[in-house]
Amino acid sequence: MMKLLPTLIFIAAIGSGVVGGVFFAFSNFVMPALARLPAAGGIAAMNSINITVITPTFMTALFGTGLICLALIAGALMGWGQPGAYWLLAGAVIYLIGNPIVTMVFNVPLNDALAAVDPASANGAAVWTNYLSDWVMWNHVRTITAVVAMACFIMALI
């Protein structure tokens, strides 16, 4: 495993960067653009995005990087005295908590609640308003933690 560790760190850095870039785009221009639409249009667009995002490529980037992080935690603990072990452990834990866990605990339930409302109703508009603040806040967390994890992985390699 220790021979494979640099390769896994490199892959985790790339995966964290890709995931962070996707979430960065949502935080900085996708969600602000959707917020400019009438509630029914914003809800319809976001529900469509939430369906189309479930692709093997994106799921591999998001959750595959998380699986690699589990191996990296083990590698960091097994080689704790080695240079970069602290950075490796920090990056893996930050990514796991900030991306797969935040996604499943916060963003996915918000997506499910949005999918369950009638976009044209007053309740739909209220859910959309809350969604825009809550979902985007958690997306900022995912963006920041993915970028920080990437930086930690890079530090672990140098």
Side-chain angles (χ1 to χ4, degrees), residues 15 38 46 51-52 73 86 91 97 106 113 115-116 133 137 141 146 155-157:
M46 192 65 198
I51 292 167
T52 59
I73 289 170
Y86 171 82
I97 293 170
F106 298 104
S133 64
M137 188 270 301
V141 170
M155 292 301 296
L157 287 171

Side-chain angles (χ1 to χ4, degrees), residues 11 20 29 35 39 44 62 76 96 100-101 116 120 122-123 142 148 151-153 155:
I11 293 168
F29 56 85
L62 177 62
L96 273 173
I101 291 174
N123 183 48
R142 297 187 302 176
V148 169
C152 289
F153 293 138
M155 292 301 296

Side-chain angles (χ1 to χ4, degrees), residues 87-110:
W87 290 109
L88 181 56
L89 182 62
V93 169
I94 289 166
Y95 182 85
L96 273 173
I97 293 170
N99 286 269
I101 291 174
V102 164
T103 297
M104 297 308 297
V105 171
F106 298 104
N107 294 88
V108 169
L110 289 167

Side-chain angles (χ1 to χ4, degrees), residues 52-133:
T52 59
V53 74
I54 303 172
T55 65
T57 304
F58 184 69
M59 293 297 109
T60 298
L62 177 62
F63 294 109
T65 301
L67 287 174
I68 290 171
C69 285
L70 292 173
L72 294 178
I73 289 170
L77 294 175
M78 288 177 5
W80 188 246
Q82 300 299 313
Y86 171 82
W87 290 109
L88 181 56
L89 182 62
V93 169
I94 289 166
Y95 182 85
L96 273 173
I97 293 170
N99 286 269
I101 291 174
V102 164
T103 297
M104 297 308 297
V105 171
F106 298 104
N107 294 88
V108 169
L110 289 167
N111 292 345
D112 292 344
L114 188 67
V117 299
D118 175 2
S121 70
N123 183 48
V127 168
W128 179 240
T129 298
N130 290 334
Y131 183 90
L132 286 169
S133 64

